[in-house]
Amino acid sequence: MEGAPDGDVRVVSRSMVRSAPPPAMVKGNGCRLPKEEVEVIHLTPWDLRLITIDYIQKGILLPKPPVSGDDLVNALAASFAHALARFYPFAGRLASEEHGDGTVSVSLRCTGDGAEFVHAVAPEIAVADIISSLYTPPVVWKFYSLNEVLGADAAIHQLPVLAAQVTELADGVFIGMTLNHSAGDGTAFWHFFNTWSEIHRRAFGGSTAGIIVAGDDLRDIADLSTPPPSLGRWFVDTCPVPIPMPFRTLQDIVKPFQRTTVQECFFTFSAASVKNLKSQANAEIAGTSATGATISSLQAVLAHLWRAVCRARRLPQDQATFYSVVVGCRGRVSGIPAGYVGNAMVFGRAEATAGEVEKKGLGWTAWLLNRGVASFDEATMRESLERWVRTPDFTYMGNLSSAGTALVTGSSPRFDVFGNDFGWGKPVAVRSGAGNKADGKATVFEGPEGGGSVSLEVCIAPDALARLVADEEFMDAVSLPAAGVKGR
């Protein structure tokens, strides 16, 4: 974004925050307590297939707190430690074990070594620098630690599973969190974030009066509205635990991610705009072979994006293009407990030519996405997990982005982002870091106004993104930032 400062983000301190000793956990569900009393959580196929991509990186922009510097950071570190006590596996380390038969297994060891906690300052960066334009300034990527680190790197180099960075800005603060994707998915990520913010809000409110050290009990810690996590792992009955993968070492699984030049914009669709897109999509399929399907709000918004990105990329009419959308398995698969912290997601896929996406309209394109989600079948999913054990496959962002012809959307508008009030006001905005940023990555969030609004963080090649922002059909549905800046 021209005119926005790249800024100098200076790290003031970097420490390892450890949680209180975890309670004893019942054996089973992938958990084992060896003789040395280090609890071991074995990873599922859902976890293992994501060990080849970057950490999850999401964060919130908050208004200026009433305190700053060490007072602010010490209080946030104390509440972070207490949240970590509830999610104590996140204070552990991934470990790989090479077996004599040419296989390797990976587990999450609850060592209590801690999560990284970083304090940084960027006094030249203001809140408006981040939110006043559609374009996301590159400085946002500096608000996170463990940048461009693959999940497997945590086991190979003994890196933390979880990290948080508190960056003080000129008139606000950005709290960014980084989580190894094999340790948890977006649902688990925001579950932890919601727990942390509630603990801090209840303990400190808007001040740091009577700072409580990490080892003490925080007021109301036993009475959180955020539900407790379920820390065991869910396996299909026939799955071996741990899972032996047919590779000599963990390094054999890793493929270097060829990171291409991309740029990102943050688009928000008001509740009224989302309603209009949904109504249009459902009206277009009425009386067609797709009659009977009900297009959701999110499917209508993603179809609108897919059509516009095909135009922006100037894809040939006969060019195959596909859209991969995350489908959550919680509530769709029996046996997964409430508050499940592991990964529980698969990709639904829709495919068509660019010409079909353009000519057949919003409703038909949304119907393709609807079919991709509706095709989820629990029995088929269980069979795929069993098959994975025999022939494991892994997620590589290079494959998902598919050389500028595809889109992939993660996250969910159902995640409670704007409820993360740490005690001095609700978030102003949400932004993600450099993790898994490839040509065609779109991340969906709840919109800042609530009530059905949706935001999309879209990351594509710079020339295509410029054409997307200039596409009147697409932009007519988008709410411009407060400053009214449409371009750079």
Side-chain angles (χ1 to χ4, degrees):
M1 185 178 73
E2 292 176 3
D6 264 342
D8 188 28
V9 177
R10 181 174 60 88
V11 172
V12 177
S13 65
R14 193 183 299 271
S15 61
M16 207 63 68
V17 173
R18 292 173 172 82
S19 67
M25 196 168 183
V26 178
K27 294 180 183 179
N29 294 326
C31 302
R32 177 169 61 86
L33 201 62
K35 292 180 181 179
E36 64 269 25
E37 297 185 350
V38 173
E39 183 181 313
V40 176
I41 297 178
H42 294 295
L43 303 187
T44 72
W46 282 334
D47 300 324
L48 292 169
R49 71 182 306 179
L50 297 173
I51 205 166
T52 46
I53 63 174
D54 292 341
Y55 280 53
I56 302 172
Q57 293 184 315
K58 304 287 186 293
I60 53 174
L61 179 61
L62 293 163
K64 191 175 183 66
V67 294
S68 61
D70 289 343
D71 286 342
L72 173 67
V73 173
N74 289 341
L76 286 169
S79 55
F80 182 74
H82 281 270
L84 198 58
R86 293 189 164 220
F87 292 76
Y88 62 85
F90 289 173
R93 295 292 183 268
L94 287 182
S96 62
E97 183 176 356
E98 298 169 10
H99 307 289
D101 59 356
T103 63
V104 62
S105 58
V106 181
S107 60
L108 177 56
R109 296 172 58 84
C110 302
T111 60
D113 285 342
E116 186 178 59
F117 196 86
V118 179
H119 174 208
V121 293
E124 296 180 359
I125 306 297
V127 168
D129 294 326
I130 299 169
I131 65 173
S132 64
S133 171
L134 293 172
Y135 283 81
T136 301
V139 71
V140 170
W141 290 8
K142 298 180 182 180
F143 296 163
Y144 298 87
S145 60
L146 299 175
N147 282 318
E148 299 184 355
V149 175
L150 299 179
D153 292 335
I156 296 169
H157 303 293
Q158 284 299 286
L159 300 174
V161 169
L162 177 70
Q165 179 172 318
V166 178
T167 305
E168 295 185 84
L169 310 178
D171 56 352
V173 62
F174 193 95
I175 300 180
M177 203 167 77
T178 302
L179 175 67
N180 191 299
H181 214 324
S182 61
D185 57 13
T187 300
F189 179 99
W190 288 109
H191 190 176
F192 180 93
F193 221 128
N194 297 156
T195 301
W196 180 17
S197 64
E198 184 180 0
I199 288 173
H200 191 92
R201 184 172 66 250
R202 290 188 177 220
F204 301 114
S207 71
T208 57
I211 290 177
I212 303 168
V213 298
D216 295 335
D217 289 333
L218 293 179
R219 174 166 49 89
D220 293 329
I221 193 171
D223 188 31
L224 297 182
S225 61
T226 307
S230 177
L231 302 175
R233 286 300 198 266
W234 179 87
F235 289 85
V236 292
D237 294 338
T238 58
C239 186
V241 180
I243 297 174
M245 298 180 289
F247 300 91
R248 187 176 58 84
T249 69
L250 185 57
Q251 186 66 56
D252 294 335
I253 298 171
V254 177
K255 290 182 181 178
F257 179 22
Q258 299 300 321
R259 301 178 191 271
T260 56
T261 300
V262 292
Q263 200 167 15
E264 58 186 308
C265 273
F266 201 89
F267 301 107
T268 293
F269 301 81
S270 68
S273 180
V274 172
K275 184 178 180 180
N276 288 339
L277 289 171
K278 179 181 178 181
S279 297
Q280 178 186 341
N282 280 292
E284 287 183 12
I285 65 170
T288 71
S289 58
T291 297
T294 300
I295 304 302
S296 71
S297 296
L298 180 58
Q299 289 159 6
V301 171
L302 296 185
H304 185 63
L305 173 68
W306 192 5
R307 300 181 72 233
V309 169
C310 285
R311 294 193 297 268
R313 285 172 164 169
R314 294 177 174 171
L315 297 180
Q317 294 289 291
D318 60 352
Q319 172 67 58
T321 175
F322 66 87
Y323 205 140
S324 295
V325 182
V326 167
V327 180
C329 295
R330 294 170 179 82
R332 288 186 168 95
V333 175
S334 58
I336 298 180
Y340 183 69
V341 167
N343 286 279
M345 46 167 275
V346 295
F347 283 102
R349 175 168 161 147
E351 186 171 355
T353 65
E356 288 174 323
V357 167
E358 176 62 24
K359 293 175 182 176
K360 294 191 176 183
L362 179 71
W364 183 86
T365 305
W367 175 75
L368 282 184
L369 294 169
N370 178 278
R371 294 300 87 198
V373 174
S375 65
F376 179 88
D377 175 76
E378 182 175 350
T380 302
M381 184 279 304
R382 288 175 178 267
E383 290 173 4
S384 71
L385 292 176
E386 294 173 354
R387 185 169 58 252
W388 195 96
V389 174
R390 299 189 300 271
T391 55
D393 64 280
F394 300 90
T395 302
Y396 298 102
M397 280 306 299
N399 293 347
L400 286 175
S401 61
S402 192
T405 61
L407 284 168
V408 56
T409 289
S411 197
S412 169
R414 296 181 180 178
F415 294 155
D416 183 10
V417 172
F418 290 94
N420 284 295
D421 182 346
F422 279 77
W424 62 85
K426 292 186 177 182
V428 176
V430 58
R431 295 292 187 270
S432 62
N436 300 310
K437 288 294 172 65
D439 187 356
K441 175 70 183 295
T443 305
V444 61
F445 298 101
E446 64 170 326
E449 69 179 51
S453 63
V454 171
S455 293
L456 288 176
E457 188 177 62
V458 179
C459 186
I460 56 177
D463 59 338
L465 189 58
R467 289 190 289 270
L468 180 65
V469 171
D471 186 324
E472 292 186 4
E473 181 180 343
F474 176 73
M475 292 301 299
D476 279 348
V478 174
S479 299
L480 296 181
V485 180
K486 193 166 186 176
R488 296 172 182 262

